[in-house]
Amino acid sequence: MRRVLMPTPLLILSCFGASWVLADSLAAPVNVSIRDLKGSSAVVTWDIPDGEPVIGFAITQQKKDVRMLRFIQEVNTTTRSCALWDLDADTAYIVHVQSISISGQSPLSEPLQFKTPKEAEKQASKSKDEVTMEEVGQNAQLRAGELLIIVVVLIMWAGVIALFCRQYDIIKDNEPNNNKDKAKNSSECSTPEHPSGGLLRSKV
């Protein structure tokens, strides 16, 4: 076991030694931070002191309390950010950033620690919010449909009542005329007509 573990600290010490040799020629990056943090990815950003002849960067990514490192290097670029991928959710990480110039690498930046969120809880919360919004939309549509049906039924009932009232008024107006016609017909049948329009009288 000792033979397996010994190269790792020796390698790290050798890297620190190389950085110390170049410390006077190139300053380490500053303002290292993390943005767009997700369960499986993140973006690390940094700043370079003014006047530094930087042509690239190098990033070391390590899980906290784990010896394994991931090394990311890119040259011929002036970018000040780098995406970290294939991260584990709910896991703590440590990140260092180095600047690269023609003469070599700068010292390591101050260590930045961050922890990825629980992706399952985030997705569950998001799904719950989406379901809630969908239910609210469906309920609103149902209520609008019910109100429309009620309005249509009320309009139909109002039309039926108005039609009934109109028919009732017409029938009521025609009743006096019918009574007059009946009275006239009865008087004509009981009284004989005279050619001159008068009544016939008998002489004794």
Side-chain angles (χ1 to χ4, degrees):
M1 294 297 292
R2 293 181 179 177
R3 293 181 180 177
V4 176
L5 297 178
M6 284 297 292
T8 301
L10 290 176
L11 178 60
I12 294 174
L13 289 175
S14 64
C15 292
F16 283 135
S19 298
W20 291 335
V21 171
L22 298 175
D24 296 336
S25 60
L26 189 63
V30 295
N31 301 328
V32 181
S33 61
I34 290 290
R35 61 179 176 84
D36 299 337
L37 182 60
K38 299 179 181 179
S40 60
S41 64
V43 176
V44 58
T45 62
W46 62 91
D47 294 327
I48 299 298
D50 295 337
E52 295 291 344
V54 175
I55 62 171
F57 64 87
I59 295 176
T60 56
Q61 170 192 325
Q62 178 185 5
K63 288 183 180 180
K64 190 176 181 180
D65 301 329
V66 177
R67 294 180 179 274
M68 184 178 64
L69 296 174
R70 172 185 286 177
F71 187 75
I72 304 172
Q73 182 174 343
E74 186 174 348
V75 294
N76 296 328
T77 180
T78 58
T79 184
R80 299 294 181 264
S81 64
C82 179
L84 307 178
W85 64 95
D86 290 340
L87 304 180
D88 295 333
D90 193 22
T91 304
Y93 288 89
I94 301 174
V95 171
H96 295 86
V97 182
Q98 289 178 283
S99 296
I100 299 176
S101 66
I102 298 176
S103 59
Q105 296 180 346
S106 72
L108 293 173
S109 66
E110 293 293 330
L112 173 65
Q113 297 187 17
F114 67 94
K115 186 176 182 180
T116 53
K118 294 181 180 180
E119 191 70 20
E121 293 181 357
K122 186 176 180 181
Q123 292 294 336
S125 177
K126 183 177 180 181
S127 300
K128 185 177 180 181
D129 294 339
E130 291 178 353
V131 170
T132 302
M133 293 301 295
E134 291 178 358
E135 290 178 353
V136 171
Q138 291 178 357
N139 292 333
Q141 292 179 357
L142 291 175
R143 291 178 181 177
E146 292 175 355
L147 290 175
L148 181 60
I149 293 174
I150 292 173
V151 170
V152 172
V153 171
L154 290 176
I155 292 174
M156 292 177 64
W157 273 106
V160 171
I161 293 172
L163 182 61
F164 175 78
C165 293
R166 183 178 179 184
Q167 294 295 331
Y168 178 78
D169 292 338
I170 293 173
I171 294 171
K172 188 175 180 180
D173 292 339
N174 289 335
E175 284 182 355
N177 295 328
N178 294 332
N179 293 332
K180 290 179 181 179
D181 293 338
K182 290 180 180 179
K184 184 177 180 181
N185 293 332
S186 61
S187 63
E188 289 178 353
C189 293
S190 59
T191 305
E193 294 183 356
H194 190 269
S196 60
L199 297 177
L200 294 176
R201 296 181 180 179
S202 61
K203 292 183 181 180
V204 179

